[in-house]
Amino acid sequence: MLKTVICDLLGITYPIIQGGMAWVATGELAAAVSAAGGLGIIGAGNAPPEVVRREIAKVRERTDRPFGVNIYYMSPYVEELIDLVCAEKVPVVTTGAGNPGKHLPKLKEAGVKVIPVVASVALAKRLERLGVDALVAEGMECGGHIGEIATMPLVPQIVDAVHIPVIAAGGIADGRGLAAALALGAAGVQMGTRFICAEECTVHPNYKNAVLKAGDRDAVVTGMPGHYVRVLKNKLTRQFEELAARGASWEEMDRLGAGKLRAAVEGDAEYGSLMAGQSAALVREIKPAAAIIEEVVAEAEEIISRLSKLVR
């Protein structure tokens, strides 16, 4: 069986973490991933604590396996969410769009394992010094908010720079990606886009169908430097292109994007923000989360076995 240090750290069977996608990563999806041996993550996004509490309850109604909550540090509810995950004794917290350093003592005291998502070596080293348990090194191929470095060069640089486990993310949707990540020194992978097309993902079928139809050039970047977001092409992305062409301000961009992810989740495939990574072109069918995980692991194991035979 394919097992790494991240499995032991998190108490999971397979080194696969589901991305904490806001409005997409609900309790239903997180529970299905965790029950299948991965680590399911609830995406808190900008949701208030009472909403996140209900998603936590959904997971616990469905499985007793470890799971996590992703806390988005641009949310207005960060302090309340930290209190919530500690009170609920959530096993794992992943973080994005900020530095969780000031909350680490409280999270650690509550027994929560903290795994920030990072897009640079400098931030990875700083967070290791602060005492986080592991890191997700996320390349710019990912969906949603992106950094500036691609997965292939980013992951080994972070692996070389820190002494804690590193999880690779960005552009990974199958066993080939998992095997490649392990070859780069990662201890596992985080997949987001692939799980949009899990049966248990509650987004509207229009969103899933947009992922299934995506080609290699359909996951495009919108927004402005420092605030880039990767989404699938539609009428909304053309509106962003028009704003950028006339030198629109960040405020105008922000107004255009407000509420559009929620709209996509509810079925607006034309003017909704269909956040998805470049790996969308690798997603070809909707299936249960357990089947996705089994397929990814089996393919990775076969590849690793085949590659080992190349050495004479």
Side-chain angles (χ1 to χ4, degrees):
M1 185 191 302
L2 184 60
K3 187 175 182 181
T4 73
V5 65
I6 209 70
C7 299
D8 295 328
L9 176 68
L10 303 179
I12 57 180
T13 307
Y14 304 114
I16 296 175
I17 295 176
Q18 165 241 312
M21 303 163 283
W23 299 113
V24 176
T26 63
E28 291 89 344
L29 177 59
V33 171
S34 288
L39 185 76
I41 303 285
I42 296 165
N46 287 318
E50 57 268 26
V51 172
V52 179
R53 183 179 287 108
R54 289 199 294 268
E55 299 305 315
I56 292 171
K58 288 180 185 178
V59 175
R60 288 189 163 139
E61 289 167 0
R62 292 165 169 80
T63 183
D64 60 358
R65 300 299 299 272
F67 69 100
V69 171
N70 176 264
I71 296 180
Y72 176 58
Y73 264 73
M74 293 180 70
S75 164
Y77 302 107
V78 169
E79 298 297 334
E80 294 96 323
L81 290 171
I82 294 294
D83 290 340
L84 173 64
V85 297
C86 291
E88 291 282 344
K89 299 190 183 303
V90 172
V92 181
V93 160
T94 62
T95 66
N99 187 334
K102 70 175 182 177
H103 295 121
L104 279 175
K106 184 169 187 174
L107 291 166
K108 292 287 191 176
E109 184 179 351
V112 180
K113 292 184 172 63
V114 182
I115 307 177
V117 177
V118 299
S120 71
V121 171
L123 182 56
K125 292 168 71 173
R126 188 179 314 132
L127 290 169
E128 181 188 33
R129 289 194 298 270
L130 291 174
V132 302
D133 295 280
L135 295 162
V136 175
E138 186 173 67
M140 67 180 297
E141 298 94 324
C142 69
H145 297 275
I146 66 171
E148 299 177 348
I149 307 173
T151 303
M152 185 69 79
L154 179 67
V155 172
Q157 289 184 70
I158 291 181
V159 168
D160 289 348
V162 301
H163 299 90
I164 55 177
V166 175
I167 299 152
I172 299 169
D174 58 22
R176 293 171 295 184
L178 173 54
L182 296 175
L184 294 174
V189 296
Q190 176 178 282
M191 300 192 306
T193 302
R194 182 64 189 91
F195 284 116
I196 294 173
C197 288
E199 286 184 2
E200 298 86 354
C201 183
T202 60
V203 302
H204 194 280
N206 290 349
Y207 197 154
K208 296 186 181 187
N209 289 332
V211 173
L212 294 176
K213 293 175 183 176
D216 60 342
R217 300 179 65 187
D218 286 332
V220 298
V221 177
T222 60
M224 301 179 70
H227 299 279
Y228 285 131
V229 176
R230 189 179 297 283
V231 297
L232 298 180
K233 283 181 183 177
N234 61 6
K235 291 179 181 178
L236 176 66
T237 64
R238 288 197 286 274
Q239 290 181 330
F240 272 111
E241 289 170 0
E242 291 167 3
L243 284 182
R246 63 177 178 81
S249 67
W250 159 245
E251 288 75 18
E252 288 178 277
M253 294 275 194
D254 192 45
R255 283 196 296 272
L256 176 59
K260 295 302 195 297
L261 174 58
R262 184 70 179 270
V265 167
E266 294 175 350
D268 188 348
E270 294 295 339
Y271 292 99
S273 182
L274 297 164
M275 293 188 184
Q278 291 181 324
S279 64
L282 295 169
V283 181
R284 300 183 179 92
E285 60 183 324
I286 297 169
K287 58 175 61 177
I292 293 171
I293 291 174
E294 290 167 7
E295 179 183 277
V296 169
V297 171
E299 185 179 22
E301 289 176 340
E302 189 279 327
I303 290 169
I304 292 167
S305 176
R306 174 161 43 85
L307 290 176
S308 69
K309 296 173 185 176
L310 296 178
V311 179
R312 295 289 195 272

